Amino acid sequence: MEVVFKIHRFDPSKDVSPYYKQYKITIDKGTTVLEALLYIKERLDNSLAIRYSCRMGICGSCGMRINGIPMLACKTQVSMLKSNIILIEPLSNNPIIKDLVTNFSNLFAKHKMIKPYIIRKDSELDNPTREYLQKPNEFFNILQFALCIKCGLCWSACPISSDNRYLGPFVLAQAYRYISDSRDDGYNERFDIIDSPHGCWRCHFAGSCSQVCPRGVDPALAIQLLKKSITTTKLGLKKIKTAAPVAPPLTEVTRKLDVPQPPPRTVFKNQRDSTNER
Ligand code: FES
């Protein structure tokens, strides 16, 4: 199938304004957008700037707008787009470094502000003895939010994120992921930043962040749960969480004698003849 890729080009060091350049290539049934862009870069125009790494939807570095929708180029097959003209643009709401590559520094600085790691009041993190206890239901509470790959698609899709002061969907989802982790004790340390004028209250619940997430994370849900948590805290209704204790040392496991034993062997090695050999 012949497809025309209309690609956003902009080099801030020499271009006055962005422009679009078209490349016509032939693709196979399973060709991904990333493979098509790499073909263009290798065969037609090596000045095209693209960012990618894993090529399998894990690293989150190949995010771009494909026909106007934020997607991972490595996870999107051209044939799925049902169009033979594909518009390729960089993610919105980030400064452009070159062509399709944007600068995530502001986003990662905000991510750092919400302390995206387990915080404890005890000294276990400094001098670890054993792992923390976490029950399966406590793990499943945070699992979907822990799947976030920080690709920035939610940030690009969010109508509020054009105000760069807003913390944004993935940062707030990560804040929720840590404060709701049964092992974490850092709710108070994150409270002020989440409750700030550019924290969770800026979200208008458009929900586009959750629609575009390539990992099935629901940042819109996390943000609403943050609002609930802050409201109940301010009303004095929030249950104070006690961080999970350290797991007790393992005790020696002794073999239970009532465990069913395998049936006795019918042939022993020194009795095997050639017909019994396997
Ligand atoms: S290259 Fe890693 S997610 Fe696409």
Side-chain angles (χ1 to χ4, degrees), residues 33-34 37 49-55 57-66 69-76 88-92 94 98-104 149-157 212 214:
V33 171
L34 180 61
L37 293 174
I50 318 165
R51 181 163 51 207
Y52 70 100
S53 179
C54 70
R55 306 185 190 207
I58 299 293
C59 72
S61 54
C62 68
M64 56 188 69
R65 279 181 298 146
I66 302 172
I69 300 172
M71 297 185 195
L72 292 181
C74 70
K75 269 192 88 180
T76 308
I88 305 284
E89 296 167 298
L91 292 179
S92 329
N94 279 342
K98 189 171 182 249
D99 299 334
L100 303 173
V101 181
T102 63
N103 189 338
F104 274 60
I149 55 173
K150 289 84 187 172
C151 59
L153 300 197
C154 56
W155 173 255
S156 176
V212 300

Side-chain angles (χ1 to χ4, degrees), residues 35-46 52 55:
E35 286 166 343
L37 293 174
L38 289 176
Y39 178 89
I40 292 168
K41 185 174 173 65
E42 283 163 14
R43 310 283 178 96
L44 307 178
D45 186 347
N46 62 12
Y52 70 100
R55 306 185 190 207

Side-chain angles (χ1 to χ4, degrees), residues 209-229:
C209 51
S210 302
Q211 276 180 337
V212 300
C213 178
R215 304 287 295 172
V217 182
D218 189 352
L221 170 66
I223 297 170
Q224 308 325 302
L225 291 171
L226 285 175
K227 290 176 183 173
K228 178 183 166 193
S229 178

